[in-house]
Amino acid sequence: MKIRSIRTVIAPAVAVVIALAAWEVAVAITGVRAYLLPGPLEIARTMWLNSARLFDASIQTAMAATIGFVIATGIGIVAGSVIAAVPVLRRALYPLATILQMVPLVAVAPLLVIWLGFGLPTAIAAATVVAIFPVLAATIDGQVSVDPGLREIFALHGASGWTRWSKLDLPASIPNIVTGLRISAGLAVIGAIVGEFVSGYGGDDAPLGIVVMSAMREARTDLVFGAVALCAVVGFALFGLVSFVGWVLVRRWHSSAVDPSGEKS
Amino acid sequence: MSASHVSLAFRRVSRTFPGGVVALNDVSFSVPAGGLTAVIGPSGCGKTTLLRIAAGLDRATSGRVELIPKSILKDGAVHFAGDRKTSVCFQDPRLLPWRSVIDNVALPLELAGIARADRMARASQVIAAAGLSDAKYRMPSQLSGGMRMRVALARALVTRPEVLLLDEPCSAVDEFTRMQLDEEIRRVWQASGATTLLITHSVSEAVWLADQIVVMGGASIDEIYQVQLPQGSRDRTSAGFLFEVETVMKLLARAAGVVAT
């Protein structure tokens, strides 16, 4: 690993350690009650004692977010490609999609419960709904901005619409799509957790959203913090995976390729 | 490859763009079979529009472009699978950045539905002839500007065109690279035997490469000049070459409406 890469990893890690240490010291000095603000060590101890439950919860939430993200990716790329290819659809649907994106997910989530019931499908649907727009918008932007000169090369050789899409429009828009997917990855986890909040399901294998809600009702602030930390871990893992795949896809040809350590390749 | 038997003829071609801008006005000339004709003229005189009409990327408002003995419009297709009557090399290389050199060169054959093994074999031949074998698997971002243009030329040749249309292929490179590219264009033209139309704004390039130079000014032809130097012995530093350049420069200055000194 290059020295710059090591610095890129170490610098934020040191910042996190310092922040946690400051938090621990502040809690110890001020004597604030643990049910209001537990220290990081207390949170870590709680996470350790509840590791099996939290692990299962993380898997549940990660599954809902990932399935929702995959569905959103498929719908976003297909719908985005169709909308990009048909100007009249672009004029008709793009503003509508933008307006729908403005509707808060928290307000829509109860509708999903009405339609899909309590349980995993609602969490998946919530993740899908919130993750679609960035992929859709990125796909449209990427495909309408394909270099006209490259299109002429395909026109000169009499390429069909499908050939041009599969060999030019889609590959040319991959950098845009990857950018959209990175945004969607984070949103999918948020969507899944909101879906879990409103659909309240679980029992022994309750997802992180339900763990947060039940721990809150029991005034287990340390457990709330632990579950929230794992929500961030799930989000970061999905974001990291998407970033890595995107980097692999475009690293050899596109200047936007940023490796997972944050450096331009 | 033997010389092309197809000549390219512009018959009273005019092009007026929406809004009334006249790009071409009654342009007629022929590129003889297997010959190389250069078109020069000031910016905006319609050179590139002429090429785009010949390539089928734009339409003449009136007049027509013909491949003699076959019409471009009636028979723009194939001799045998993968081969085309015409090919174009633009002033920017227009390579697909996610494809390697060989995959870019083979693209026209891929679009024609040629099997992978066959198209790779033919692309490799063209790449080798262009002296690019070492760069065969490199990405366009790993090549210099001159090499990218040579790849674009190789892609234009992979379909064995009878008519080659070159739109200022050396406009974006430095003078030294331009001379190298000129050598490559001459090699390509002589090896392929293609009837070639070269759009350029460089008088010395036109004189060095062409048999015939069409001087345009104000959307129409001002002069058609036959270069007096034999193809095999053109030397950029010889008195004869410099005299030809000066002569064409004067014609260009007259066409552009400026005084040559």
Side-chain angles (χ1 to χ4, degrees):
Chain A
M1 190 181 273
K2 295 175 195 168
I3 290 180
R4 271 184 65 195
S5 301
I6 294 169
R7 283 183 185 155
T8 308
V9 174
I10 286 179
V14 169
V16 168
V17 169
I18 291 173
L20 290 175
W23 178 0
E24 187 68 37
V25 170
V27 166
I29 291 174
T30 60
V32 62
R33 301 277 176 87
Y35 69 84
L36 288 176
L37 183 64
L41 291 177
E42 176 64 18
I43 294 168
R45 196 176 75 85
T46 301
M47 290 175 75
W48 175 254
L49 293 174
N50 294 275
S51 55
R53 180 187 178 194
L54 288 173
F55 179 78
D56 289 345
S58 300
I59 295 296
Q60 288 292 318
T61 297
M63 188 169 68
T66 304
I67 294 172
F69 172 75
V70 169
I71 295 171
T73 300
I75 295 174
I77 291 176
V78 171
S81 298
V82 172
I83 291 172
V86 185
V88 67
L89 281 182
R90 192 159 74 243
R91 282 192 293 275
L93 296 181
Y94 201 29
L96 189 63
T98 308
I99 290 167
L100 289 176
Q101 167 69 7
M102 302 300 170
V103 179
L105 176 66
V106 177
V108 177
L111 283 174
L112 299 176
V113 176
I114 292 170
W115 293 330
L116 301 171
F118 295 96
L120 182 63
T122 294
I124 292 172
T128 303
V129 167
V130 79
I132 279 182
F133 187 78
V135 192
L136 181 83
T139 303
I140 294 170
D141 288 348
Q143 298 196 5
V144 298
S145 58
V146 171
D147 181 354
L150 295 180
R151 293 204 161 169
E152 285 188 346
I153 295 289
F154 279 71
L156 276 170
H157 294 94
S160 66
W162 168 258
T163 301
R164 197 189 72 187
W165 179 81
S166 60
K167 295 184 189 298
L168 175 63
D169 293 350
L170 183 61
S173 57
I174 282 177
N176 293 65
I177 292 174
V178 167
T179 302
L181 289 177
R182 290 168 69 178
I183 298 168
S184 289
L187 289 176
V189 176
I190 295 171
I193 290 166
V194 170
E196 291 163 2
F197 280 171
V198 296
S199 68
Y201 68 100
D204 289 340
D205 56 352
L208 287 173
I210 303 304
V211 172
V212 169
M213 296 300 278
S214 60
M216 180 197 72
R217 289 192 198 100
E218 296 163 11
R220 295 283 310 279
T221 313
D222 50 351
L223 191 55
V224 172
F225 268 105
V228 168
L230 288 172
C231 290
V233 169
V234 170
F236 186 77
L238 193 54
F239 176 85
L241 181 66
V242 171
S243 296
F244 180 74
V245 171
W247 174 72
V248 169
L249 285 174
V250 303
R251 69 192 158 126
R252 291 188 70 201
W253 61 276
H254 201 272
S255 58
S256 73
V258 176
D259 78 22
S261 70
E263 287 186 28
K264 288 244 177 184
S265 62
Chain B
M1 182 178 170
S2 59
S4 170
H5 298 293
V6 175
S7 63
L8 174 66
F10 293 84
R11 310 274 194 221
R12 308 201 66 177
V13 172
S14 294
R15 176 69 170 107
T16 304
F17 288 116
V21 177
V22 178
L24 293 171
N25 182 24
D26 201 17
V27 170
S28 296
F29 70 94
S30 292
V31 184
L36 194 157
T37 292
V39 178
I40 62 171
S43 295
C45 72
K47 305 186 295 285
T48 293
T49 303
L50 197 66
L51 179 136
R52 291 177 63 81
I53 290 171
L57 292 171
D58 197 358
R59 286 188 175 183
T61 311
S62 63
R64 64 187 188 280
V65 180
E66 291 179 342
L67 286 185
I68 301 170
K70 296 285 177 66
S71 160
I72 273 185
L73 299 178
K74 287 179 182 169
D75 182 18
V78 294
H79 257 227
F80 46 91
D83 286 2
R84 293 180 64 83
K85 283 270 190 220
T86 60
S87 221
V88 187
C89 183
F90 296 95
Q91 55 185 299
D92 50 333
R94 302 192 182 184
L95 304 177
L96 303 185
W98 55 89
R99 284 176 171 240
S100 64
V101 165
I102 189 167
D103 284 334
N104 264 291
V105 172
L107 178 69
L109 301 177
E110 186 178 335
L111 296 177
I114 305 299
R116 181 173 174 80
D118 293 342
R119 66 178 187 253
M120 287 300 154
R122 199 194 283 186
S124 291
Q125 288 173 6
V126 178
I127 288 169
L132 291 166
S133 293
D134 289 346
K136 201 164 154 181
Y137 298 109
R138 284 200 220 155
M139 306 301 281
S141 60
Q142 297 171 307
L143 306 177
S144 66
M147 286 176 83
R148 282 181 213 162
M149 280 314 303
R150 284 161 65 196
V151 174
L153 263 175
R155 180 179 62 191
L157 289 170
V158 79
T159 53
R160 298 177 186 165
E162 293 211 58
V163 174
L164 186 57
L165 306 170
L166 305 174
D167 185 13
E168 301 190 41
C170 305
S171 65
V173 296
D174 59 70
E175 193 60 29
F176 179 69
T177 308
R178 172 192 285 272
M179 285 194 281
Q180 287 181 318
L181 274 175
D182 284 346
E183 295 274 5
E184 178 66 6
I185 290 169
R186 171 179 275 178
R187 183 196 69 74
V188 157
W189 168 53
Q190 291 178 338
S192 68
T195 303
T196 302
L197 180 68
L198 169 69
I199 307 295
T200 180
H201 56 249
S202 165
V203 171
S204 67
E205 182 176 80
V207 171
W208 198 73
L209 285 168
D211 306 313
Q212 172 178 264
I213 297 174
V214 175
V215 183
M216 292 187 68
S220 58
I221 293 177
D222 205 72
E223 180 89 31
I224 297 179
Y225 182 78
Q226 305 299 323
V227 180
Q228 303 299 315
L229 303 168
Q231 272 290 349
S233 59
R234 293 188 185 179
D235 176 357
R236 291 178 196 271
T237 59
S238 70
F241 181 85
L242 295 174
F243 175 77
E244 290 285 304
V245 169
E246 188 181 346
T247 303
V248 176
M249 196 73 86
K250 285 177 179 168
L251 294 175
L252 180 61
R254 189 182 71 190
V258 295
V259 177
T261 55

